Amino acid sequence: MTIGFDFGTANCSVAHFFQQQVQPIPLFNNAPYLLSSLCAPNPETVSEYLFRCQDIRPSTPEGEQVLRRAIKINREEGLDVSNEDLKFGGDALDLYLQDPSDVYYVKSPKSFLGTMGLREVQLSFFEDLVCALMSEIKHRAEDHLQHQVEQAVIGRPINFLGRGGDKSNRQAIGILERAAKRSGFKSVEFQYEPVAAGLDFEASLNNDKHVLVVDIGGGTTDCSMLRMGPSWVGKQDRSNAILAHSGQMVGGNNLDIAIAFKSFMAEFGKETQRKSGLDIPLIQFWNAIAVNDVQAQKQFYLHDNLAVLKQFHKESLQPEKVARLIKLYQEKLSYSVIHQAEQTKIALSESDQHLAQLTVIDETISIPVSKSEMQMAIESSTTKIESLVLEAVAQSGITPDVIYMTGGSSRSTVLRDAVQGLLPNTPMVAGDHFGSVTAGLTRWADTIFK
């Protein structure tokens, strides 16, 4: 059996083609979406879980090294790894929020893909994270379908990071493909996410059009200018239909981090002075919440950085605020802060004001945030998204007949207005914010695996 697989930054979803219709497959509480998250007692649990509980071996010598180290550490800690030790999706988030300091939590393994400058063993561990989540989704799909799933078309962004170019993209695709094969898929193909979203929109067209797909997801924004319509339906060779691509690592995660940095981090000591008259370096506050940046999080959570934070606390004119930053470090609250920023972003898509409630161990901080403040916070990301839209239009040399907006972050009225402002005379159609890519991947899977 064949599926379309959107391995997303914020959510994962899968579907199959049945009776000429795309049928989403429930993954969590009868919903077709699973949060792209997992939670375990420690990092080493993930690698041993794959081997011991799923009978999935590493794909490289470096992966074998990661597994041996994981087994050794878990034995030393007296941890006997079982199926119950890994939680996924909403269950993982709930467990993390109960006690962030007591678990290992990962939001969006996809956001790490393409990171350059890492050792092979680190990349092998990222592959284990991706494999664990993919394997879980595959099992849930098979349980629902009562049929083995062996073929998949998996979505990919135009560029995973924007830094590292083709080398970064090849590294990311390699990890995804190896993880998928280890999970049990026998045949795997990839399709650009904006093209997939366009394929879903194409099913509704009665005549051929030039379509500008703007897919603003959790991790990336991707734009494609496409020839679409009845003349192209069912064709495997669509090379002449793809007129332009642009893409960059700017999406919902970036918006959440920007909101947290602008609106929340003052309560953790940002822009507070030391007795010397100097501010605490801003990099400390950025690294604390940059959950999509492996190196930034590594720098913040270095063992030696705790002594640095304590020295800032000692020197600060507002030590009670810096004390919260130390608690963030000690209790690993980065994802908790970003979760509240995400809730703020969602609330402000429907309202002009929101009162964020940020819990830091034994206190809850109420932080009012206005839509205008959010707009200022995400201005840099908005500008990058506008540039990607203009780049795709310029590459193609064509004014589109229609703009097709999709992706979870395209729900933002701020971003929709920004894109529409660039092409004020072009009609805009909103897709299924979370389901368009999955549906298009499923249609493509039905086309190429027949």
Side-chain angles (χ1 to χ4, degrees):
M1 183 169 281
T2 301
I3 61 169
F5 192 158
D6 182 9
F7 189 76
T9 304
N11 296 280
C12 295
S13 60
V14 293
H16 70 122
F17 208 68
F18 181 68
Q19 295 182 346
Q20 301 304 306
Q21 296 289 328
V22 173
Q23 299 287 338
I25 299 170
L27 293 178
F28 183 70
N29 290 342
N30 292 318
Y33 309 112
L34 182 74
L35 286 176
S36 302
S37 303
L38 59 84
C39 193
N42 62 17
E44 290 74 26
T45 301
V46 178
S47 301
E48 186 172 356
Y49 163 86
L50 287 172
F51 170 69
R52 197 168 302 284
C53 303
Q54 300 297 316
D55 195 27
I56 296 175
R57 292 205 64 92
S59 63
T60 63
E62 291 80 11
E64 293 284 357
Q65 181 181 340
V66 170
L67 175 60
R68 289 194 298 271
R69 179 178 180 276
I71 293 173
K72 180 176 183 293
I73 290 175
N74 287 333
R75 294 295 80 75
E76 289 173 351
E77 295 183 0
L79 182 61
D80 188 12
V81 176
S82 70
N83 275 308
E84 297 302 311
D85 284 323
L86 247 67
K87 302 295 183 185
F88 299 89
D91 292 334
L93 177 60
D94 289 343
L95 185 60
Y96 165 75
L97 292 176
Q98 288 174 22
D99 190 351
S101 66
D102 196 43
V103 295
Y104 173 72
Y105 177 74
V106 176
K107 177 185 178 184
S108 309
K110 183 180 178 181
S111 65
F112 301 148
L113 301 183
T115 301
M116 305 306 293
L118 300 179
R119 294 179 293 122
E120 288 298 323
V121 290
Q122 292 173 296
L123 296 176
S124 294
F125 177 65
F126 288 167
E127 184 182 312
D128 283 350
L129 291 174
V130 173
C131 184
L133 188 53
M134 278 189 169
S135 177
E136 178 68 17
I137 291 167
K138 184 174 184 289
H139 287 322
R140 294 189 187 196
E142 290 173 337
D143 286 345
H144 175 77
L145 297 170
Q146 291 297 294
H147 200 287
Q148 190 170 2
V149 177
E150 296 184 337
Q151 298 171 315
V153 172
I154 300 174
R156 58 152 294 181
I158 304 300
N159 294 301
F160 283 83
L161 287 184
R163 303 185 300 272
D166 289 342
K167 185 176 181 180
S168 172
N169 289 332
R170 287 195 300 271
Q171 180 229 90
I173 289 295
I175 290 174
L176 284 173
E177 185 168 17
R178 289 192 299 274
K181 294 289 184 65
R182 291 172 66 196
S183 299
F185 291 105
K186 293 183 178 179
S187 298
V188 176
E189 299 290 340
F190 293 91
Q191 179 58 275
Y192 288 119
E193 289 160 359
V195 173
L199 290 169
D200 183 48
F201 178 55
E202 183 178 62
S204 69
L205 295 178
N206 295 318
N207 48 63
D208 290 353
K209 292 182 180 294
H210 290 112
V211 180
L212 175 63
V213 179
V214 181
D215 178 14
I216 309 176
T220 61
T221 292
D222 297 291
C223 303
S224 292
M225 185 75 80
L226 306 166
R227 292 190 179 106
M228 312 214 84
S231 299
W232 296 96
V233 173
K235 290 187 175 181
Q236 291 194 23
D237 182 5
R238 300 182 68 111
S239 54
N240 291 331
I242 300 173
L243 304 177
H245 284 316
S246 63
Q248 188 178 346
M249 186 182 175
V250 53
N253 280 348
N254 300 85
L255 306 182
D256 300 338
I257 292 167
I259 292 167
F261 187 71
K262 177 74 173 179
S263 300
F264 294 174
M265 296 312 288
E267 299 297 335
F268 293 83
K270 182 168 77 80
E271 297 176 356
T272 61
Q273 288 191 329
R274 291 179 275 172
K275 294 170 186 176
S276 62
L278 298 174
D279 289 344
I280 296 174
L282 289 176
I283 193 66
Q284 288 287 353
F285 304 97
W286 181 261
N287 287 349
I289 56 172
V291 295
N292 62 349
D293 188 326
V294 175
Q295 300 293 3
Q297 288 278 277
K298 179 180 177 181
Q299 289 299 313
F300 181 73
Y301 284 107
L302 281 173
H303 176 75
D304 292 346
N305 197 41
L306 180 58
V308 175
L309 296 179
K310 287 181 175 180
Q311 185 63 32
F312 288 147
H313 176 261
K314 182 178 179 180
E315 298 173 356
S316 176
L317 295 176
Q318 293 180 287
E320 71 283 357
K321 290 187 175 182
V322 182
R324 292 175 184 149
L325 186 63
I326 293 174
K327 289 179 181 178
L328 189 156
Y329 173 100
Q330 293 173 325
E331 303 298 322
K332 302 177 184 176
L333 298 176
S334 297
Y335 286 112
S336 181
V337 173
I338 293 303
H339 178 66
Q340 286 305 312
E342 181 182 17
Q343 298 307 304
T344 299
K345 177 186 68 180
I346 294 170
L348 290 175
S349 68
E350 305 292 338
S351 174
D352 290 333
Q353 296 282 338
H354 176 68
L355 188 64
Q357 302 287 339
L358 203 60
T359 300
V360 183
I361 312 304
D362 53 357
E363 68 170 327
T364 298
I365 313 162
S366 298
I367 305 173
V369 186
S370 68
K371 179 172 283 189
S372 61
E373 288 174 328
M374 182 188 75
Q375 286 177 299
M376 288 189 290
I378 68 173
E379 183 177 1
S380 175
S381 293
T382 303
T383 300
K384 290 177 182 178
I385 291 169
E386 291 173 332
S387 297
L388 292 171
V389 172
L390 293 174
E391 181 183 343
V393 173
Q395 277 184 33
S396 69
I398 291 172
T399 299
D401 298 311
V402 62
I403 304 166
Y404 185 62
M405 288 277 290
T406 189
S409 296
S410 69
R411 293 175 297 171
S412 167
T413 55
V414 174
L415 298 181
R416 288 202 305 271
D417 290 347
V419 173
Q420 185 70 82
L422 299 174
L423 297 161
N425 299 318
T426 303
M428 178 181 289
V429 176
D432 180 343
H433 298 301
F434 294 109
S436 294
V437 170
T438 310
L441 293 171
T442 304
R443 292 181 183 277
W444 190 241
D446 183 65
T447 298
I448 67 172
F449 284 125
K450 280 183 176 178

